[in-house]
């Protein structure tokens, strides 16, 4: 039987510090290679795959280091803490993805309006795009490693000390700040002005932080890491919602309505579709409430 652990012995300062260290290790691993600042160079991408996969595979050991042994009443296995579970995995995969698609009802409607066959075409192309290193980075590698390291490995450390709300707020700050390294790359490559590079990076950090609040919420409510991963993949495929193309659609009022309805329905369904009773999340169990 796997040993049971918890993180009750950590102090709030230690829990935050341990997450900062892990975030730093993840980002630093991207730059251990020589001439590794050109993020779109295929050779650099492949080397970074090795780096982030190595950090991802070693992260559970890092999490375990901060734990203490516990009895059955107060402990869970490391895999359970990390959201690596098979029970209730289907609803934990499907329902968060469906909820996210509801939020993107407007953008999805716009895509269908502009080109009714594009979504089906993109879906059929997935088996071929897997071999596209840029697609693989955005849709597989980034969601898998980032959600595992920044959600599955940090929230078990933060949650026992801070509870649901504060842990959801703190965790994505690590994720947002981890994207600051893009500013350094932009400055080194001198592809754009400093002011524009700063503005883009600030927006990216803000957007990733807000997204991190959402996937942290999903992780704690479901107790599964698969939900955040598939939501991350979907959001990367959709990109940031835009409104500039609505004017090119035959039915702009209908598209605007879809944007509003999607947002309203998302807010209404956020808690019902992530109800912990569907998933058996340890983070919403009677022990931790």
């Amino acid at each position: 039987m796997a040993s049971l652990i918890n993180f009750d012995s950590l102090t709030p300062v230690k829990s935050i510090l341990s997450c900062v260290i892990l975030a730093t290790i993840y980002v630093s691993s991207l730059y251990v290679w020589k001439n590794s600042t050109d993020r779109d160079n295929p050779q650099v991408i492949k080397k970074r795959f090795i780096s982030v996969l190595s950090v991802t595979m070693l992260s559970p050991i890092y999490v375990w280091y901060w734990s203490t042994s516990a009895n059955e009443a107060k402990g869970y296995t490391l895999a359970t803490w990390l959201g690596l579970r098979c029970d209730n995995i289907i609803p934990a995969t499907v329902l968060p993805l469906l909820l996210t698609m509801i939020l993107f009802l407007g953008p999805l409607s716009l895509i269908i309006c502009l080109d009714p066959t594009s979504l089906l075409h993109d879906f059929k192309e997935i088996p071929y795009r897997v071999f596209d290193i840029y697609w693989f980075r955005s849709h597989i590698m980034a969601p898998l490693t980032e959600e595992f390291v920044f959600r599955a490995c940090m929230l078990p450390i933060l949650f026992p000390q801070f509870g649901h709300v504060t842990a959801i707020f703190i965790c994505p700050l690590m994720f947002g700040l981890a994207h600051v390294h893009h500013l350094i790359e932009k400055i080194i490559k001198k592809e754009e002005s400093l002011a524009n590079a700063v503005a883009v990076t600030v927006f990216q950090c803000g957007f990733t932080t807000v997204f991190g609040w959402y996937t942290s919420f999903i992780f704690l409510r479901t107790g599964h890491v698969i939900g955040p991963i598939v939501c991350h993949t979907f959001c990367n495929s959709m990109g940031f919602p835009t409104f500039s193309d609505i004017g090119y659609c035959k039915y702009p009022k209908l598209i605007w309505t879809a944007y509003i309805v999607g947002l309203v329905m998302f807010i209404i369904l956020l808690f019902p579709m992530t109800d912990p009773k569907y998933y058996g999340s340890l983070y919403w169990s009677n022990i931790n409430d």
Side-chain angles (χ1 to χ4, degrees):
M1 180 179 176
S3 60
L4 304 180
I5 59 173
N6 64 30
F7 300 88
D8 293 346
S9 63
L10 280 175
T11 64
V13 173
K14 278 187 177 180
S15 63
I16 292 176
L17 181 60
S18 64
C19 291
V20 170
I21 293 172
L22 183 55
T24 302
I25 293 173
Y26 183 93
V27 175
S28 299
S29 73
L30 302 174
Y31 297 96
V32 297
W33 307 96
K34 187 178 180 180
N35 301 321
S36 60
T37 56
D38 186 2
R39 69 185 302 268
D40 291 325
N41 182 303
Q43 294 304 314
V44 172
I45 293 174
K46 292 175 183 178
K47 291 177 179 178
R48 287 186 168 188
F49 282 179
I50 296 173
S51 295
V52 295
L53 277 176
S54 299
V55 173
T56 300
M57 290 187 291
L58 292 173
S59 291
I61 300 175
Y62 180 83
V63 175
W64 175 82
Y65 171 80
W66 295 101
S67 70
T68 53
S69 298
N71 57 38
E72 190 171 348
K74 293 188 176 181
Y76 297 91
T77 64
L78 178 60
T80 302
W81 281 106
L82 298 176
L84 300 175
R85 304 159 45 210
C86 292
D87 57 306
N88 303 309
I89 193 169
I90 293 178
T93 305
V94 174
L95 292 181
L97 176 59
L98 182 59
L99 179 64
T100 308
M101 293 176 71
I102 291 171
L103 177 62
F104 278 80
L105 180 62
L108 286 171
S109 301
L110 178 60
I111 292 172
I112 294 172
C113 182
L114 295 174
D115 185 358
T117 65
S118 61
L119 287 178
L120 181 60
H121 177 267
D122 289 346
F123 185 77
K124 289 181 177 180
E125 286 290 309
I126 290 177
Y128 306 100
R129 291 185 177 181
V130 168
F131 299 100
D132 180 336
I133 196 169
Y134 301 103
W135 187 95
F136 191 85
R137 176 180 63 181
S138 297
H139 295 78
I140 305 296
M141 191 62 67
L144 176 64
T145 62
E146 289 177 0
E147 293 305 320
F148 188 78
V149 172
F150 288 91
R151 239 65 71 189
C153 290
M154 291 188 183
L155 284 168
I157 294 174
L158 293 170
F159 170 74
Q161 311 307 320
F162 296 100
H164 302 116
V165 176
T166 307
I168 288 172
F169 177 78
I170 294 176
C171 187
L173 297 180
M174 315 288 179
F175 185 52
L177 290 174
H179 286 73
V180 173
H181 71 97
H182 291 309
L183 174 61
I184 300 173
E185 293 182 354
K186 292 176 186 294
I187 293 174
I188 293 174
K189 293 172 70 174
K190 297 180 179 179
E191 292 182 342
E192 51 191 298
S193 67
L194 178 60
N196 189 61
V198 170
V200 170
T201 302
V202 169
F203 173 80
Q204 187 177 32
C205 290
F207 177 68
T208 53
T209 298
V210 172
F211 175 75
W213 288 336
Y214 175 57
T215 54
S216 294
F217 176 83
I218 294 294
F219 179 82
L220 291 180
R221 295 280 285 182
T222 65
H224 282 269
V225 70
I226 186 66
I229 291 173
V230 296
C231 290
H232 195 147
T233 295
F234 175 77
C235 289
N236 278 3
S237 69
M238 292 297 296
F240 188 79
T242 60
F243 308 96
S244 57
D245 292 335
I246 295 179
Y248 298 102
C249 182
K250 284 174 110 178
Y251 312 102
K253 291 183 179 179
L254 185 62
I255 301 303
W256 279 113
T257 301
Y259 272 84
I260 296 171
V261 170
L263 178 60
V264 172
M265 291 302 296
F266 172 80
I267 294 172
I268 293 173
L269 295 173
L270 180 60
F271 283 90
M273 289 186 69
T274 60
D275 192 327
K277 71 181 181 183
Y278 299 138
Y279 314 102
S281 173
L282 76 89
Y283 297 99
W284 244 269
S285 68
N286 292 331
I287 294 174
N288 292 301
D289 276 347

